Amino acid sequence: MSNVTSIPNRPHHDAIVVGAGFAGLYMLHKLRELGLSAQCFEGGDSVGGTWYWNRYPGARCDVPSLEYSFSFSDELQQEWEWSERYPAQPEILRYLDHVADRFDLRREIHFNTWIQSARFDPDQGMWIVTTDTGETATARYCILATGALSAPRKPDFAGLDDFAGQWYHTGQWPHQPVDFTGQRVAVIGTGSSGIQVAPMIAAEAAELTVFQRTPNFSIPAWNQPLPRSVQDEWKKHYPRHRAAAKASRSGALYDYSQRSAFDMTAAERQAELDARWARGGANFTHCFNDMFRDKAANDIAADYVRNKIGSIVQDWDKAALLMPTDHAIGTKRICVDTDYYAMFNRPNVTLVDVRATPITRITTTGIATSAADHAFDSIVFATGYDAVTGSLTRIDIIGRSGVGLKDKWRDGPKSYLGIMVADYPNLFTITGPGSPSILTNVVMSIEQHVEWVADCLGTMARTGADLIEPELAAEDEWVAHVADIAAQTLHVQANSWYMGANVPGKPRVFLPYIGGLGTYTQICNEIARDGYRGFVIR
Ligand code: NAP
């Protein structure tokens, strides 16, 4: 193994942070508080992560603004003014720019720099990281704040290079606004991104064709301006709201029903569902406490949404195509929309069922399905991500015994608490697989991880330790626990990106921890209090 200190011009830091989104920014801030030197590498030319890349029209978060924000600084949460119930992408990006400036974080970030590899040198006890700009850096700790939904997937359709028009992926949207006026536009994909972008394009383009493989359940956002009075009142009680969110299942103040669907009368169930539809948003899926364990309970909520689709979409054939029947509601990520179903009443919008007539190739003029050739000026891929693991496995990460993380995870990701991986000492994953991450208001999950990692590094500094790594047995036990609790839910039956089902060849494993953020936090804290049970610290 090379002697890293003998290589000239190779900077050394206590920690390297990869990614400058919510997670990387807060991690940098905490490392500075600990007095540790850190450098952050970020592929974009500014901060923001997911919210830097996802600039597509209509991009908006499904978690309310007042909750989808950092809680670690009361000054920050008091001074920032949100303008809408749900924050749009430009506002979240402005917020993260503000955070970066307010805490003076940019000076430690190398922008326009992608990490290509990270290799642990056991002789030196260092991580050696290389970038696409030819730099090498070393650090004792490597913290991957690379995001769960940041490795975009553009399906391998034949012929895309020949397409004479423009194409876009929602997760890599251009910085300049795209003008679809007068165009014939295709949107492929009907997940959260497709459902948000399509109505915006329909309002601008001459014709929009939505290529749907699997219909999704979507609940109206009923987004609206956030009145000053509501915001002021909420801010007065921020400590209480934040504590409740962090102790909750989803890291958000949803109204979790305590009642089984079958302890309610039909009239009570109808009233519950009506009230939740009227309030809008992801809260809808918490209408019964047996929603995700009992298919019959879930069917009641699913039927309700299918009926809503039927009542909104005037053309019965289109409505029927838009009604999901292959999965329980909420077992694929619930979508939240503005005018998605109503959009299909517009004369310029067409729906193509690519399960019945699959896309065979992209042509010079558009998209060919098994049934017809469709001509387009632009194609929008809203085809999603190699979720949770993709942003990690696209980096060549080599552990202590020379094994690549990609190889270790060939049959599914293995991680202790979703934070550390056996054989990869001093490597931390923020919101990694096996943590609640994408099932929650991810900002709360990020804060929990970053604070746990910072406490761990602080403890190590105080005790003179310089290496931490999970025991294989602890990791195996955690992976089994994550799988066990997932298996008790309906989630594992769906072909979702939670299950890796959207990426051909990806192992079918439920990726996040479904036990809830509050429970998870207690487990992490107990493990730390027990002297980092399940970890080897030297
Ligand atoms: P997604 O949920 O994975 O949706 C991708 C869509 O593309 C699906 O409809 C999928 O169909 C379709 N697709 C993929 N490959 C295809 C192919 N070869 N042919 C035809 N269709 C294909 O991705 P996303 O919409 O980008 O959302 C990902 C996640 O990001 C969300 O679930 C959410 O967690 C987050 N997100 C959140 C928001 C928000 O907060 N509002 C907005 C955007 C994204 P199948 O279902 O059949 O695979």
Side-chain angles (χ1 to χ4, degrees):
M1 194 59 63
S2 61
N3 178 349
V4 291
T5 52
S6 70
I7 299 175
N9 302 324
R10 178 177 272 178
H12 177 67
H13 316 286
D14 291 319
I16 285 171
V17 177
V18 185
F22 270 100
L25 291 176
Y26 186 35
M27 195 71 242
L28 267 182
H29 177 65
K30 289 300 281 184
L31 289 167
R32 196 183 282 169
E33 274 185 356
L34 286 168
L36 297 177
S37 69
Q39 292 290 299
C40 174
F41 295 91
E42 163 56 52
D45 70 9
S46 188
V47 300
T50 286
W51 299 105
Y52 169 91
W53 297 103
N54 276 267
R55 295 165 186 254
Y56 62 86
R60 185 180 294 284
C61 183
D62 288 349
V63 179
S65 305
L66 288 162
E67 300 191 54
Y68 193 79
S69 49
F70 283 126
S71 72
F72 70 82
S73 158
D74 192 47
E75 293 80 9
L76 172 66
Q77 66 184 3
Q78 293 298 336
E79 76 199 5
W80 186 263
E81 298 284 326
W82 294 102
S83 69
E84 293 177 279
R85 178 182 182 188
Y86 294 108
Q89 175 271 335
E91 190 163 20
I92 303 174
L93 194 55
R94 277 200 301 281
Y95 170 76
L96 289 171
D97 272 326
H98 170 74
V99 170
D101 293 336
R102 194 188 195 289
F103 297 99
D104 188 22
L105 299 172
R106 287 181 209 272
R107 63 189 159 91
E108 282 155 352
I109 306 174
H110 300 255
F111 292 108
N112 298 309
T113 309
W114 292 96
I115 295 300
Q116 288 188 322
S117 71
R119 180 170 58 84
F120 186 72
D121 178 338
D123 298 336
Q124 302 289 324
M126 301 278 177
W127 279 95
I128 305 169
V129 161
T130 61
T131 72
D132 65 341
T133 51
E135 290 167 75
T136 303
T138 65
R140 187 161 302 287
Y141 304 110
C142 181
I143 302 166
L144 300 170
T146 44
L149 293 158
S150 47
R153 257 199 84 247
K154 175 177 60 64
D156 223 359
F157 294 121
L160 183 57
D161 289 344
D162 304 331
F163 180 54
Q166 298 294 318
W167 64 265
Y168 310 91
H169 190 289
T170 49
Q172 290 171 322
W173 202 261
H175 284 215
Q176 301 311 318
V178 179
D179 185 2
F180 291 112
T181 308
Q183 290 195 9
R184 297 158 303 170
V185 184
V187 170
I188 304 178
T190 53
S192 297
S193 305
I195 278 176
Q196 284 186 329
V197 78
M200 303 295 287
I201 297 175
E204 191 174 287
E207 293 168 21
L208 169 69
T209 305
V210 176
F211 289 82
Q212 171 187 274
R213 187 164 67 183
T214 314
N216 258 313
F217 292 98
S218 189
I219 310 298
W222 308 129
N223 185 45
Q224 53 190 276
L226 189 58
R228 189 60 193 265
S229 56
V230 171
Q231 183 151 198
D232 288 349
E233 187 56 26
W234 186 276
K235 285 182 174 179
K236 276 192 217 155
H237 306 291
Y238 243 140
R240 177 158 55 81
H241 292 321
R242 296 296 200 182
K246 289 176 190 182
S248 75
R249 223 182 307 158
S250 320
L253 291 179
Y254 294 134
D255 168 16
Y256 302 95
S257 171
Q258 302 303 316
R259 300 177 73 187
S260 155
F262 302 106
D263 291 339
M264 301 161 84
T265 64
E268 284 173 332
R269 288 194 293 260
Q270 183 69 28
E272 180 74 28
L273 292 165
D274 282 345
R276 285 176 187 266
W277 184 269
R279 276 175 63 191
N283 186 44
F284 183 88
T285 56
H286 302 292
C287 50
F288 312 128
N289 69 2
D290 42 1
M291 267 287 280
F292 295 116
R293 288 174 192 280
D294 184 340
K295 179 69 168 45
N298 189 289
D299 280 343
I300 295 168
D303 281 342
Y304 181 92
V305 177
R306 283 189 280 262
N307 285 335
K308 284 287 183 192
I309 297 169
S311 70
I312 298 168
V313 180
Q314 289 153 7
D315 177 321
W316 174 249
D317 291 338
K318 271 189 193 173
L321 261 186
L322 287 164
M323 291 178 190
T325 51
D326 77 327
H327 64 280
I329 182 170
T331 59
K332 289 179 88 160
R333 164 66 151 77
I334 192 78
C335 299
V336 176
D337 72 279
T338 297
D339 293 337
Y340 177 65
Y341 294 121
M343 171 191 82
F344 289 97
N345 295 331
R346 297 177 63 110
N348 67 334
V349 177
T350 307
L351 180 62
V352 173
D353 174 9
V354 300
R355 233 180 247 295
T357 56
I359 295 172
T360 50
R361 63 175 295 118
I362 310 290
T363 63
T364 51
T365 53
I367 296 175
T369 69
S370 59
D373 284 342
H374 302 261
F376 296 110
D377 303 300
S378 295
I379 300 174
V380 173
F381 292 94
T383 42
Y385 298 86
D386 183 354
V388 186
T389 51
S391 68
L392 299 168
T393 53
R394 69 181 171 178
I395 303 173
D396 189 20
I397 300 172
I398 309 291
R400 186 166 37 79
S401 53
V403 177
L405 188 68
K406 216 182 299 180
D407 294 324
K408 168 157 176 152
W409 285 2
R410 197 166 293 284
D411 298 326
K414 294 187 168 55
S415 162
Y416 187 31
L417 301 174
I419 300 182
M420 292 199 82
V421 182
D423 198 38
Y424 297 76
N426 294 353
L427 181 82
F428 297 89
T429 52
I430 306 299
T431 65
S435 78
S437 71
I438 35 130
L439 294 176
T440 65
N441 167 7
V442 80
V443 186
M444 294 299 101
S445 284
I446 285 169
E447 285 195 338
Q448 186 270 339
H449 263 196
V450 168
E451 287 163 13
W452 194 93
V453 171
D455 285 348
C456 172
L457 298 185
T459 304
M460 289 174 70
R462 274 197 306 284
T463 56
D466 59 12
L467 186 138
I468 179 167
E469 180 185 345
E471 292 165 4
L472 195 56
E475 179 178 273
D476 285 345
E477 208 177 305
W478 182 253
V479 171
H481 174 62
V482 170
D484 279 352
I485 55 172
Q488 295 163 29
T489 71
L490 301 172
H491 284 80
V492 291
Q493 295 171 20
N495 289 322
S496 64
W497 58 256
Y498 295 148
M499 292 295 297
N502 64 325
V503 179
K506 195 165 172 173
R508 194 176 167 88
V509 171
F510 191 73
L511 295 166
Y513 169 79
I514 203 169
L517 178 62
T519 306
Y520 173 82
T521 303
Q522 280 176 18
I523 294 170
C524 291
N525 292 348
E526 276 163 23
I527 284 171
R529 270 200 302 275
D530 283 359
Y532 292 91
R533 179 172 19 99
F535 290 93
V536 177
I537 300 187
R538 282 210 306 269

